């Protein structure tokens, strides 16, 4: 079982980026925790971060068939990327949208997600552990691929 973990723009800056909002944990730390958790379940994660919409879309198109689920934090693309939404709409596996911060108590432009209507579910406001919760759900519900 293999899970695709996608992170969008500015998430490579976790650890130093507005730590009062996003915490002090780096993306490398998160990916390491996901890798370790997946390994305990005889699963694996394939982690990709990009600041570029097209790279995220290419990765979805190339990797979804080999994935039992997708965990994606699209960063600011969450709020306006119909292109990423369309790419995700075309895949068969479950999609969990993750936000480190509680976007619903932040600026109004963050309250709307164009991804949420086509996602299986969403985690928001639980810090970096939201990624682990998303992985936990996929491990619980998805059979080996
Ligand atoms: C991350 C971002 O980069 C923002 O653009 C989103 C999200 C929120 C997060 O909370 O992880 O608005």
């Amino acid at each position: 079982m293999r899970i695709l973990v996608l992170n969008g723009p500015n998430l490579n800056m976790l650890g130093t980026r507005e730590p009062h909002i996003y915490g002090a944990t780096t993306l490398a730390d998160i990916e390491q925790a996901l890798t370790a958790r997946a390994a305990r379940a005889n699963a694996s994660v394939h982690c990709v971060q990009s600041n570029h919409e097209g790279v995220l879309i290419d990765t979805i198109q190339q990797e979804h068939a080999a994935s039992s689920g997708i965990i994606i934090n699209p960063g600011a693309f969450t709020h306006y990327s119909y292109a990423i939404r369309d790419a995700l709409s075309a895949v068969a596996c479950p999609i969990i949208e993750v936000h480190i911060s509680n976007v619903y108590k932040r600026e109004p432009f963050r309250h709307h997600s164009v991804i949420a209507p086509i996602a299986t579910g969403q985690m928001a406001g639980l810090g970096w552990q939201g990624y682990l919760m998303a992985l936990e759900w996929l491990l619980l519900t998805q059979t080996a691929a």
Side-chain angles (χ1 to χ4, degrees):
M1 179 173 172
R2 184 173 185 263
I3 305 297
L4 178 61
V5 179
L6 288 174
N7 278 283
N10 299 305
L11 291 158
N12 56 315
M13 301 304 290
L14 288 176
T16 56
R17 174 193 183 197
E18 299 179 278
H20 57 292
I21 296 173
Y22 296 105
T25 305
T26 66
L27 185 57
D29 292 336
I30 295 169
E31 292 178 348
Q32 194 173 34
L34 294 171
T35 300
R37 176 64 191 97
R40 289 205 306 278
N42 289 321
S44 64
V45 291
H46 178 63
C47 301
V48 174
Q49 186 277 332
S50 180
N51 293 324
H52 306 280
E53 190 177 31
V55 172
L56 294 167
I57 292 165
D58 287 346
T59 304
I60 292 164
Q61 291 178 358
Q62 288 159 13
E63 301 292 339
H64 76 90
S67 305
S68 298
I70 298 176
I71 297 170
I72 181 166
N73 183 343
F77 287 140
T78 301
H79 313 298
Y80 64 91
S81 178
Y82 297 117
I84 290 176
R85 173 191 164 124
D86 282 352
L88 291 170
S89 287
V91 315
C93 64
I95 297 158
I96 313 299
E97 177 185 349
V98 171
H99 301 293
I100 293 167
S101 65
N102 183 348
V103 284
Y104 301 103
K105 65 178 183 187
R106 297 183 61 196
E107 303 95 319
F109 78 87
R110 297 185 203 276
H111 298 181
H112 182 66
S113 168
V114 300
I115 308 299
I118 56 85
T120 308
Q122 188 190 61
M123 305 291 305
L126 300 184
W128 73 266
Q129 291 91 343
Y131 292 91
L132 268 183
M133 303 301 289
L135 176 60
E136 205 65 47
W137 184 85
L138 288 166
L139 293 175
L140 276 171
T141 59
Q142 302 309 300
T143 52

mmCIF file of all heavy atoms in Angstrom, residues 1-31:
data_model
loop_
_atom_site.group_PDB
_atom_site.id
_atom_site.type_symbol
_atom_site.label_atom_id
_atom_site.label_comp_id
_atom_site.label_asym_id
_atom_site.label_seq_id
_atom_site.Cartn_x
_atom_site.Cartn_y
_atom_site.Cartn_z
ATOM 1 N N MET A 1 0.853 -1.202 0.000
ATOM 2 C CA MET A 1 0.000 0.000 0.000
ATOM 3 C C MET A 1 0.884 1.246 0.000
ATOM 4 O O MET A 1 1.804 1.362 0.794
ATOM 5 C CB MET A 1 -0.897 -0.008 1.240
ATOM 6 C CG MET A 1 -1.788 1.182 1.349
ATOM 7 S SD MET A 1 -2.932 0.971 2.724
ATOM 8 C CE MET A 1 -3.670 2.570 2.758
ATOM 9 N N ARG A 2 0.564 2.140 -0.903
ATOM 10 C CA ARG A 2 1.411 3.325 -1.101
ATOM 11 C C ARG A 2 0.508 4.559 -1.087
ATOM 12 O O ARG A 2 -0.524 4.583 -1.769
ATOM 13 C CB ARG A 2 2.099 3.180 -2.454
ATOM 14 C CG ARG A 2 3.092 4.245 -2.822
ATOM 15 C CD ARG A 2 3.749 3.768 -4.127
ATOM 16 N NE ARG A 2 4.824 4.630 -4.563
ATOM 17 C CZ ARG A 2 4.667 5.590 -5.478
ATOM 18 N NH1 ARG A 2 3.479 5.819 -6.018
ATOM 19 N NH2 ARG A 2 5.700 6.320 -5.850
ATOM 20 N N ILE A 3 0.904 5.546 -0.318
ATOM 21 C CA ILE A 3 0.133 6.785 -0.197
ATOM 22 C C ILE A 3 0.962 7.932 -0.775
ATOM 23 O O ILE A 3 2.141 8.085 -0.445
ATOM 24 C CB ILE A 3 -0.190 7.088 1.288
ATOM 25 C CG1 ILE A 3 -0.904 5.904 1.960
ATOM 26 C CG2 ILE A 3 -1.002 8.379 1.405
ATOM 27 C CD1 ILE A 3 -2.248 5.559 1.385
ATOM 28 N N LEU A 4 0.316 8.727 -1.611
ATOM 29 C CA LEU A 4 0.976 9.910 -2.183
ATOM 30 C C LEU A 4 0.708 11.105 -1.257
ATOM 31 O O LEU A 4 -0.446 11.380 -0.917
ATOM 32 C CB LEU A 4 0.404 10.171 -3.581
ATOM 33 C CG LEU A 4 0.928 11.388 -4.333
ATOM 34 C CD1 LEU A 4 2.433 11.286 -4.589
ATOM 35 C CD2 LEU A 4 0.172 11.542 -5.668
ATOM 36 N N VAL A 5 1.782 11.764 -0.847
ATOM 37 C CA VAL A 5 1.677 12.928 0.049
ATOM 38 C C VAL A 5 2.183 14.153 -0.706
ATOM 39 O O VAL A 5 3.374 14.250 -1.021
ATOM 40 C CB VAL A 5 2.497 12.720 1.342
ATOM 41 C CG1 VAL A 5 2.385 13.943 2.241
ATOM 42 C CG2 VAL A 5 2.044 11.461 2.077
ATOM 43 N N LEU A 6 1.266 15.058 -1.003
ATOM 44 C CA LEU A 6 1.605 16.240 -1.796
ATOM 45 C C LEU A 6 1.513 17.510 -0.954
ATOM 46 O O LEU A 6 0.540 17.700 -0.214
ATOM 47 C CB LEU A 6 0.622 16.381 -2.964
ATOM 48 C CG LEU A 6 0.766 15.382 -4.103
ATOM 49 C CD1 LEU A 6 -0.384 15.581 -5.088
ATOM 50 C CD2 LEU A 6 2.096 15.567 -4.792
ATOM 51 N N ASN A 7 2.512 18.345 -1.077
ATOM 52 C CA ASN A 7 2.495 19.652 -0.428
ATOM 53 C C ASN A 7 2.774 20.743 -1.448
ATOM 54 O O ASN A 7 3.700 20.631 -2.261
ATOM 55 C CB ASN A 7 3.541 19.700 0.696
ATOM 56 C CG ASN A 7 3.016 19.083 1.969
ATOM 57 O OD1 ASN A 7 2.226 19.704 2.696
ATOM 58 N ND2 ASN A 7 3.415 17.849 2.244
ATOM 59 N N GLY A 8 1.968 21.783 -1.384
ATOM 60 C CA GLY A 8 2.059 22.872 -2.342
ATOM 61 C C GLY A 8 2.959 24.007 -1.885
ATOM 62 O O GLY A 8 3.822 23.840 -1.017
ATOM 63 N N PRO A 9 2.736 25.179 -2.465
ATOM 64 C CA PRO A 9 3.651 26.304 -2.296
ATOM 65 C C PRO A 9 3.840 26.735 -0.849
ATOM 66 O O PRO A 9 2.890 26.765 -0.067
ATOM 67 C CB PRO A 9 3.001 27.424 -3.119
ATOM 68 C CG PRO A 9 1.626 26.966 -3.440
ATOM 69 C CD PRO A 9 1.639 25.476 -3.386
ATOM 70 N N ASN A 10 5.074 27.041 -0.549
ATOM 71 C CA ASN A 10 5.531 27.600 0.728
ATOM 72 C C ASN A 10 5.588 26.581 1.859
ATOM 73 O O ASN A 10 6.099 26.893 2.937
ATOM 74 C CB ASN A 10 4.678 28.814 1.145
ATOM 75 C CG ASN A 10 4.758 29.930 0.133
ATOM 76 O OD1 ASN A 10 5.851 30.369 -0.191
ATOM 77 N ND2 ASN A 10 3.624 30.367 -0.407
ATOM 78 N N LEU A 11 5.117 25.372 1.607
ATOM 79 C CA LEU A 11 5.168 24.376 2.680
ATOM 80 C C LEU A 11 6.580 23.824 2.860
ATOM 81 O O LEU A 11 6.877 23.219 3.892
ATOM 82 C CB LEU A 11 4.118 23.287 2.442
ATOM 83 C CG LEU A 11 2.718 23.906 2.648
ATOM 84 C CD1 LEU A 11 1.645 23.095 1.947
ATOM 85 C CD2 LEU A 11 2.391 24.088 4.119
ATOM 86 N N ASN A 12 7.462 24.074 1.888
ATOM 87 C CA ASN A 12 8.882 23.763 2.088
ATOM 88 C C ASN A 12 9.506 24.667 3.146
ATOM 89 O O ASN A 12 10.593 24.375 3.642
ATOM 90 C CB ASN A 12 9.652 23.898 0.764
ATOM 91 C CG ASN A 12 9.484 25.263 0.132
ATOM 92 O OD1 ASN A 12 8.372 25.789 0.062
ATOM 93 N ND2 ASN A 12 10.562 25.854 -0.350
ATOM 94 N N MET A 13 8.810 25.732 3.514
ATOM 95 C CA MET A 13 9.344 26.682 4.499
ATOM 96 C C MET A 13 8.867 26.397 5.929
ATOM 97 O O MET A 13 9.144 27.172 6.848
ATOM 98 C CB MET A 13 8.955 28.119 4.108
ATOM 99 C CG MET A 13 9.446 28.551 2.737
ATOM 100 S SD MET A 13 11.231 28.388 2.559
ATOM 101 C CE MET A 13 11.780 29.699 3.655
ATOM 102 N N LEU A 14 8.125 25.308 6.095
ATOM 103 C CA LEU A 14 7.655 24.970 7.443
ATOM 104 C C LEU A 14 8.855 24.889 8.391
ATOM 105 O O LEU A 14 9.909 24.366 8.031
ATOM 106 C CB LEU A 14 6.909 23.635 7.440
ATOM 107 C CG LEU A 14 5.525 23.636 6.787
ATOM 108 C CD1 LEU A 14 4.969 22.213 6.769
ATOM 109 C CD2 LEU A 14 4.570 24.568 7.517
ATOM 110 N N GLY A 15 8.653 25.367 9.603
ATOM 111 C CA GLY A 15 9.742 25.394 10.581
ATOM 112 C C GLY A 15 10.178 26.829 10.832
ATOM 113 O O GLY A 15 10.399 27.228 11.975
ATOM 114 N N THR A 16 10.260 27.593 9.729
ATOM 115 C CA THR A 16 10.627 29.008 9.875
ATOM 116 C C THR A 16 9.496 29.926 9.426
ATOM 117 O O THR A 16 9.474 31.093 9.778
ATOM 118 C CB THR A 16 11.880 29.357 9.042
ATOM 119 O OG1 THR A 16 11.645 28.997 7.674
ATOM 120 C CG2 THR A 16 13.099 28.610 9.555
ATOM 121 N N ARG A 17 8.533 29.396 8.671
ATOM 122 C CA ARG A 17 7.452 30.210 8.131
ATOM 123 C C ARG A 17 6.374 30.446 9.192
ATOM 124 O O ARG A 17 5.709 29.492 9.618
ATOM 125 C CB ARG A 17 6.820 29.459 6.954
ATOM 126 C CG ARG A 17 5.600 30.097 6.384
ATOM 127 C CD ARG A 17 4.869 29.140 5.453
ATOM 128 N NE ARG A 17 3.741 29.810 4.855
ATOM 129 C CZ ARG A 17 2.728 29.190 4.267
ATOM 130 N NH1 ARG A 17 2.710 27.863 4.201
ATOM 131 N NH2 ARG A 17 1.734 29.879 3.748
ATOM 132 N N GLU A 18 6.177 31.674 9.593
ATOM 133 C CA GLU A 18 5.121 32.038 10.544
ATOM 134 C C GLU A 18 4.871 30.919 11.568
ATOM 135 O O GLU A 18 3.771 30.348 11.605
ATOM 136 C CB GLU A 18 3.820 32.357 9.787
ATOM 137 C CG GLU A 18 3.964 33.524 8.817
ATOM 138 C CD GLU A 18 2.677 33.817 8.066
ATOM 139 O OE1 GLU A 18 2.409 33.118 7.057
ATOM 140 O OE2 GLU A 18 1.946 34.717 8.495
ATOM 141 N N PRO A 19 5.856 30.634 12.404
ATOM 142 C CA PRO A 19 5.716 29.484 13.315
ATOM 143 C C PRO A 19 4.540 29.611 14.280
ATOM 144 O O PRO A 19 4.036 28.582 14.758
ATOM 145 C CB PRO A 19 7.058 29.438 14.061
ATOM 146 C CG PRO A 19 7.750 30.714 13.753
ATOM 147 C CD PRO A 19 7.187 31.254 12.482
ATOM 148 N N HIS A 20 4.091 30.844 14.544
ATOM 149 C CA HIS A 20 2.925 31.004 15.417
ATOM 150 C C HIS A 20 1.657 30.466 14.755
ATOM 151 O O HIS A 20 0.666 30.181 15.428
ATOM 152 C CB HIS A 20 2.734 32.474 15.816
ATOM 153 C CG HIS A 20 2.586 33.403 14.648
ATOM 154 N ND1 HIS A 20 3.624 33.675 13.776
ATOM 155 C CD2 HIS A 20 1.534 34.116 14.201
ATOM 156 C CE1 HIS A 20 3.193 34.509 12.845
ATOM 157 N NE2 HIS A 20 1.934 34.795 13.077
ATOM 158 N N ILE A 21 1.687 30.337 13.427
ATOM 159 C CA ILE A 21 0.534 29.773 12.695
ATOM 160 C C ILE A 21 0.788 28.320 12.306
ATOM 161 O O ILE A 21 -0.069 27.454 12.482
ATOM 162 C CB ILE A 21 0.240 30.604 11.415
ATOM 163 C CG1 ILE A 21 -0.181 32.019 11.787
ATOM 164 C CG2 ILE A 21 -0.838 29.913 10.562
ATOM 165 C CD1 ILE A 21 -0.332 32.950 10.591
ATOM 166 N N TYR A 22 1.988 28.067 11.769
ATOM 167 C CA TYR A 22 2.262 26.746 11.178
ATOM 168 C C TYR A 22 3.122 25.838 12.057
ATOM 169 O O TYR A 22 3.333 24.680 11.700
ATOM 170 C CB TYR A 22 2.917 26.928 9.807
ATOM 171 C CG TYR A 22 2.008 27.622 8.806
ATOM 172 C CD1 TYR A 22 2.214 28.955 8.447
ATOM 173 C CD2 TYR A 22 0.921 26.953 8.257
ATOM 174 C CE1 TYR A 22 1.379 29.598 7.542
ATOM 175 C CE2 TYR A 22 0.075 27.587 7.360
ATOM 176 C CZ TYR A 22 0.308 28.912 7.009
ATOM 177 O OH TYR A 22 -0.533 29.535 6.120
ATOM 178 N N GLY A 23 3.593 26.365 13.218
ATOM 179 C CA GLY A 23 4.399 25.540 14.108
ATOM 180 C C GLY A 23 5.867 25.515 13.715
ATOM 181 O O GLY A 23 6.281 26.129 12.727
ATOM 182 N N ALA A 24 6.641 24.779 14.497
ATOM 183 C CA ALA A 24 8.093 24.752 14.321
ATOM 184 C C ALA A 24 8.565 23.484 13.625
ATOM 185 O O ALA A 24 9.756 23.312 13.367
ATOM 186 C CB ALA A 24 8.776 24.880 15.684
ATOM 187 N N THR A 25 7.654 22.600 13.321
ATOM 188 C CA THR A 25 8.012 21.324 12.701
ATOM 189 C C THR A 25 8.292 21.536 11.215
ATOM 190 O O THR A 25 7.521 22.212 10.522
ATOM 191 C CB THR A 25 6.855 20.317 12.884
ATOM 192 O OG1 THR A 25 6.564 20.238 14.279
ATOM 193 C CG2 THR A 25 7.227 18.943 12.378
ATOM 194 N N THR A 26 9.376 20.960 10.741
ATOM 195 C CA THR A 26 9.734 21.127 9.328
ATOM 196 C C THR A 26 8.997 20.095 8.469
ATOM 197 O O THR A 26 8.508 19.076 8.969
ATOM 198 C CB THR A 26 11.248 20.951 9.110
ATOM 199 O OG1 THR A 26 11.587 19.586 9.397
ATOM 200 C CG2 THR A 26 12.054 21.881 10.007
ATOM 201 N N LEU A 27 8.987 20.351 7.162
ATOM 202 C CA LEU A 27 8.371 19.391 6.245
ATOM 203 C C LEU A 27 9.139 18.066 6.271
ATOM 204 O O LEU A 27 8.534 16.989 6.212
ATOM 205 C CB LEU A 27 8.312 19.963 4.824
ATOM 206 C CG LEU A 27 7.584 19.082 3.796
ATOM 207 C CD1 LEU A 27 6.150 18.785 4.226
ATOM 208 C CD2 LEU A 27 7.606 19.742 2.425
ATOM 209 N N ALA A 28 10.458 18.146 6.411
ATOM 210 C CA ALA A 28 11.263 16.908 6.496
ATOM 211 C C ALA A 28 10.840 16.099 7.720
ATOM 212 O O ALA A 28 10.738 14.859 7.652
ATOM 213 C CB ALA A 28 12.748 17.249 6.550
ATOM 214 N N ASP A 29 10.598 16.789 8.845
ATOM 215 C CA ASP A 29 10.141 16.086 10.065
ATOM 216 C C ASP A 29 8.804 15.390 9.808
ATOM 217 O O ASP A 29 8.590 14.250 10.236
ATOM 218 C CB ASP A 29 9.944 17.076 11.223
ATOM 219 C CG ASP A 29 11.238 17.695 11.724
ATOM 220 O OD1 ASP A 29 12.301 17.075 11.539
ATOM 221 O OD2 ASP A 29 11.165 18.807 12.298
ATOM 222 N N ILE A 30 7.888 16.102 9.154
ATOM 223 C CA ILE A 30 6.553 15.543 8.874
ATOM 224 C C ILE A 30 6.681 14.320 7.968
ATOM 225 O O ILE A 30 6.093 13.266 8.237
ATOM 226 C CB ILE A 30 5.648 16.612 8.220
ATOM 227 C CG1 ILE A 30 5.378 17.759 9.190
ATOM 228 C CG2 ILE A 30 4.321 15.981 7.754
ATOM 229 C CD1 ILE A 30 4.719 18.978 8.549
ATOM 230 N N GLU A 31 7.470 14.465 6.914
ATOM 231 C CA GLU A 31 7.619 13.354 5.964
ATOM 232 C C GLU A 31 8.272 12.146 6.637
ATOM 233 O O GLU A 31 7.912 10.997 6.359
ATOM 234 C CB GLU A 31 8.415 13.830 4.741
ATOM 235 C CG GLU A 31 7.612 14.836 3.916
ATOM 236 C CD GLU A 31 8.353 15.393 2.706
ATOM 237 O OE1 GLU A 31 9.580 15.199 2.587
ATOM 238 O OE2 GLU A 31 7.685 16.046 1.877
#
